[in-house]
Amino acid sequence: MLISPKRRSHTLNSSAYVQLLDLAKYFGKVKALDGLTLDIAEGELVALLGPSGCGKTTALRALAGLQELDRGAMIVDGQDVTFQKASNRGMGMVFQAYSLFPHMTARENVEYGLRLRVHKTSGQKRKARSAELLELVGLSTHASHYPYQLSGGQQQRVALARAIAISPKVLLLDEPLSALDAKVRTQLREEIRRIQVELGTTTLFVTHDQEEALGIADRVGVMRNGQLEQIAAPAELYDRPKTAFVAEFVGLTNPIAGKVSGGSIEILGGVVKTLPGSITSGSGIALVRPESIDVVASKSGNATVFSASFLGATCRLTISMRDGARITAQLPSPDATGLGAGAGVNVSLLDIPVFVKAAG
Amino acid sequence: MRQTIGVKIWRWSIISVVAFYLVVPLYAMFDFSTKPFGFADSGRTFRAWALIGTQENLIEAVTRSLITAAIVMALILFLVVPTAIWVQLKLPLLRRPFELLCLLPLAIPAIVIVVGIAPLYRWISINLSESPITLAGVYSMLILPYTYRSLSAALDAVDIHTLAEAATTLGAGISRVIFGIIMPTIKTGIINGSFIAIALVLGEFTISNILNFKTFQVVIAQIGRTNGHVAVAVSLASLLFVVVLLLLIPTKKRQGAVLDVDLT
């Protein structure tokens, strides 16, 4: 994970470079956007994360000018762009589907936006710029290749270079990695981050893949039903979710019932603090992260291992509790040595605050 | 390896059968056109071919038909294709009605069309022009079913929405998107559609004959009435001419450059 210390210091503030204010878009009864408000600081990479139909792509397309809105305003660099045509907004966009112009070479694709600029860039400068950008995305040797001669990952790199070529006010990435295989996806994800940090381009990245979002974004916004459920730095979002939806959507959780009182919950024979936003009293369901569960081998313990999956650095155990409930725990692989299926274990909670939602 | 040879044999068998099917009538035409048809002739003679140049109206008819074909092609490029793209991109609800409209000429017999448009052409002949080139109007309607089919197939094969949006975000206006991005992308479909259209225009007989316009086919038919050998020679020559035209299809690169114009 590449993290720029400079960008880490960004917080929501009035000096936002991009402001989305109360955006709403309704398709019949479906609320694609229902009062979305979001600020992005200059040079920041914000990822919008959420399930299908949560409105994340609609938000991105609205900012690009490709989606008309029913309500709301969008301000970029102090300018109201709400009613500006997409072709005049100066946004660079990379699409989920391969979008290179098939009749142009990689270089011509990258140069396309430059050729259309109002102050037409001279041929010489254009060539230099496209060469520089293809170099940046590691494809200088493929400049004269046509899209059909490039792999999916290479096509998306060229698309990225093409979007950056026009020095966009905001770089918009609409699930650019979802059509790629896992290895290329991880590699390209990190490259996108490297390039974004290098150029300092303000970026909005839409994805349904939480690993992608948490892996490269300065802040991640979780969307649901057209609204922003929570926006925070990846670690905060993961460790301190403010709603049950965020806790359950980001990362894995084990729902474990317990009794809440005085800002704590009693579960698995222990007491842990609850996070702000949790219910404050009565029966609740704690949403416990697999890594917050401590598992120790013990023949007279309170559970048995049902199955174990080795994931490399960590090991994931599915554990059957005495009452028949199943929970998932994740331990560093060395700690899980000998904990195979059927092994007796004692399960307890680490002292990490948990989010608690109301039971039922 | 064995499979490859099998495929090769299969492929060449098909090509041979098709070639045979196409070549036999052509050879028959050639054979007929070189047979003696006067008292002085014997054996093979190329008199029919030599007579092509002396035929009245022929050169004018060919020129007019070619100009008509060029106008029809221009109408396809600058009217039909952009409209089809526009409907696909911006008015998806009109896709079905548009398709139906384009296929309609196929369902109406040529004779019915002639009866319908005869008064219109009478008016055109009196008030505008008597030139057969005015037939370009009715021809561009007749070719719609064929052109639309090949365009529609080409448009369906590409994600033109994403391409259009990508070009738009890079600063392209709608005309640039249509002429600079989508048209070069579906150029194979456009070329196919255009050639079907040209073939149709150069081969159309019913309408031009009934409306009394001296187009290429009408003149060939007239020659045929006086001398069948010359008519067949002209037909074969015109076929060869079309083959040459086809061989002159613009290369991929050149075609892209030609269409990459900005009208904004």
Side-chain angles (χ1 to χ4, degrees):
Chain A
M1 187 158 79
L2 290 148
I3 297 168
S4 150
K6 185 183 112 196
R7 288 180 224 306
R8 269 270 172 260
S9 62
H10 286 309
T11 51
L12 266 175
N13 57 42
S14 59
S15 67
Y17 183 72
V18 178
Q19 286 179 286
L20 306 183
L21 303 166
D22 193 27
L23 302 190
K25 177 69 196 175
Y26 307 107
F27 296 105
K29 282 183 181 170
V30 180
K31 297 172 178 173
L33 289 175
D34 189 24
L36 172 75
T37 294
L38 169 69
D39 286 4
I40 307 174
E42 192 168 4
E44 189 182 29
L45 194 161
V46 168
L48 285 181
L49 178 67
S52 312
C54 70
K56 54 191 191 300
T57 295
T58 311
L60 181 111
R61 290 172 57 82
L63 184 55
L66 300 172
Q67 179 68 64
E68 279 181 22
L69 290 169
D70 292 330
R71 194 182 70 220
M74 292 172 284
I75 293 160
V76 177
D77 196 13
Q79 251 196 328
D80 188 342
V81 299
T82 316
F83 300 104
Q84 207 171 36
K85 276 162 71 177
S87 52
N88 296 335
R89 285 199 193 184
M91 303 285 175
M93 188 155 169
V94 181
F95 295 81
Q96 179 177 1
Y98 300 137
S99 63
L100 293 187
F101 308 134
H103 60 296
M104 295 184 194
T105 61
R107 183 195 294 119
E108 287 165 343
N109 263 284
V110 176
E111 286 180 9
Y112 186 77
L114 297 173
R115 278 200 280 146
L116 304 185
R117 297 294 97 188
V118 184
H119 310 290
K120 289 198 175 183
T121 328
S122 76
Q124 206 72 29
K125 275 189 186 165
R126 223 163 48 210
K127 264 192 183 156
R129 175 90 175 132
S130 64
E132 178 193 331
L133 284 163
L134 285 170
E135 169 96 55
L136 189 71
V137 296
L139 283 176
S140 39
T141 52
H142 293 67
S144 50
H145 284 44
Y146 282 92
Y148 70 87
Q149 296 169 311
L150 300 169
S151 69
Q154 289 171 331
Q155 288 195 42
Q156 289 302 67
R157 277 163 210 253
V158 177
L160 180 66
R162 181 177 69 178
I164 296 168
I166 58 171
S167 305
K169 288 179 182 160
V170 186
L171 179 62
L172 304 170
L173 307 171
D174 183 11
E175 308 208 27
L177 310 172
S178 57
L180 308 175
D181 61 64
K183 200 174 172 187
V184 179
R185 194 185 300 183
T186 316
Q187 201 183 357
L188 191 49
R189 178 177 96 193
E190 286 178 6
E191 262 180 67
I192 287 177
R193 179 56 163 170
R194 170 182 64 80
I195 292 165
Q196 186 266 336
V197 169
E198 212 170 299
L199 303 175
T201 312
T202 310
T203 304
L204 183 61
F205 180 40
V206 158
T207 178
H208 65 269
D209 183 330
Q210 46 176 293
E211 197 188 317
E212 236 165 69
L214 299 175
I216 66 169
D218 290 312
R219 286 187 303 146
V220 178
V222 178
M223 282 188 72
R224 182 196 189 189
N225 299 334
Q227 291 175 332
L228 203 54
E229 191 91 353
Q230 183 180 354
I231 181 158
E236 190 185 336
L237 198 74
Y238 189 82
D239 294 336
R240 308 183 73 80
K242 282 188 176 154
T243 68
F245 177 79
V246 174
E248 285 171 321
F249 189 75
V250 180
L252 288 174
T253 54
N254 290 294
I256 304 173
K259 217 157 180 62
V260 181
S261 63
S264 302
I265 184 165
E266 205 183 313
I267 38 169
L268 295 177
V271 175
V272 286
K273 283 194 176 134
T274 60
L275 286 168
S278 302
I279 58 164
T280 49
S281 63
S283 299
I285 292 174
L287 302 169
V288 184
R289 300 279 182 213
E291 59 275 17
S292 300
I293 295 170
D294 193 24
V295 183
V296 184
S298 161
K299 277 184 184 159
S300 56
N302 55 4
T304 49
V305 175
F306 178 74
S307 66
S309 332
F310 178 71
L311 303 176
T314 60
C315 194
R316 186 171 291 166
L317 305 175
T318 304
I319 295 164
S320 294
M321 301 301 292
R322 283 246 175 84
D323 59 6
R326 292 236 168 105
I327 59 172
T328 305
Q330 194 157 328
L331 327 178
S333 289
D335 296 356
T337 315
L339 298 180
V345 288
N346 195 47
V347 172
S348 61
L349 277 186
L350 296 173
D351 189 18
I352 297 170
V354 296
F355 189 89
V356 184
K357 66 176 182 180
Chain B
M1 193 64 190
R2 199 176 296 161
Q3 198 187 8
T4 320
I5 292 169
V7 169
K8 265 185 188 167
I9 291 173
W10 181 236
R11 189 182 297 157
W12 279 107
S13 318
I14 293 176
I15 291 174
S16 309
V17 170
V18 173
F20 186 71
Y21 177 78
L22 292 174
V23 167
V24 166
L26 292 178
Y27 174 74
M29 286 172 87
F30 178 75
D31 182 56
F32 182 73
S33 71
T34 54
K35 276 199 168 144
F37 61 92
F39 293 115
D41 297 329
S42 61
R44 290 278 161 199
T45 171
F46 282 90
R47 214 149 62 80
W49 287 82
L51 284 172
I52 292 177
T54 65
Q55 296 304 309
E56 228 181 300
N57 298 333
L58 184 62
I59 301 298
E60 289 91 340
V62 172
T63 316
R64 280 195 299 258
S65 284
L66 283 177
I67 293 174
T68 313
I71 294 173
V72 170
M73 193 151 163
L75 283 170
I76 293 172
L77 278 180
F78 293 100
L79 199 66
V80 181
V81 176
T83 310
I85 295 172
W86 179 271
V87 168
Q88 189 108 348
L89 274 182
K90 304 275 180 185
L91 306 163
L93 282 179
L94 283 185
R95 246 190 98 178
R96 285 278 156 205
F98 183 71
E99 188 176 349
L100 195 71
L101 201 69
C102 286
L103 295 180
L104 214 53
L106 206 59
I108 305 173
I111 189 75
V112 176
I113 294 179
V114 179
V115 172
I117 56 158
L120 177 70
Y121 268 87
R122 211 170 297 133
W123 184 89
I124 290 175
S125 295
I126 295 167
N127 296 298
L128 296 175
S129 163
E130 287 190 327
S131 167
I133 292 171
T134 53
L135 280 174
V138 62
Y139 285 166
S140 50
M141 185 184 76
L142 279 186
I143 50 95
L144 278 179
Y146 311 98
T147 313
Y148 179 77
R149 271 279 130 238
S150 70
L151 280 183
S152 155
L155 284 170
D156 287 342
V158 193
D159 183 0
I160 62 163
H161 287 271
T162 305
L163 291 182
E165 286 181 349
T168 306
T169 55
L170 291 168
I174 185 70
S175 63
R176 204 183 273 272
V177 168
I178 291 177
F179 289 99
I181 300 295
I182 313 284
M183 278 175 68
T185 303
I186 59 161
K187 63 176 171 287
T188 314
I190 296 175
I191 291 172
N192 290 344
S194 302
F195 275 108
I196 295 173
I198 289 173
L200 204 118
V201 170
L202 294 181
E204 202 287 323
F205 177 72
T206 319
I207 294 179
S208 47
N209 188 45
I210 295 178
L211 291 178
N212 221 2
F213 282 123
K214 297 246 176 311
T215 58
F216 181 45
Q217 292 302 323
V218 174
V219 171
I220 288 186
Q222 281 176 352
I223 297 170
R225 270 180 230 129
T226 55
N227 190 332
H229 292 81
V230 179
V232 171
V234 171
S235 300
L236 190 55
S238 68
L239 259 173
L240 294 174
F241 175 69
V242 171
V243 169
V244 172
L245 262 189
L246 282 168
L247 291 176
L248 293 175
I249 296 175
T251 62
K252 190 179 173 183
K253 186 70 197 163
R254 218 183 297 148
Q255 181 74 8
V258 166
L259 294 173
D260 193 9
V261 290
D262 185 28
L263 296 187
T264 43

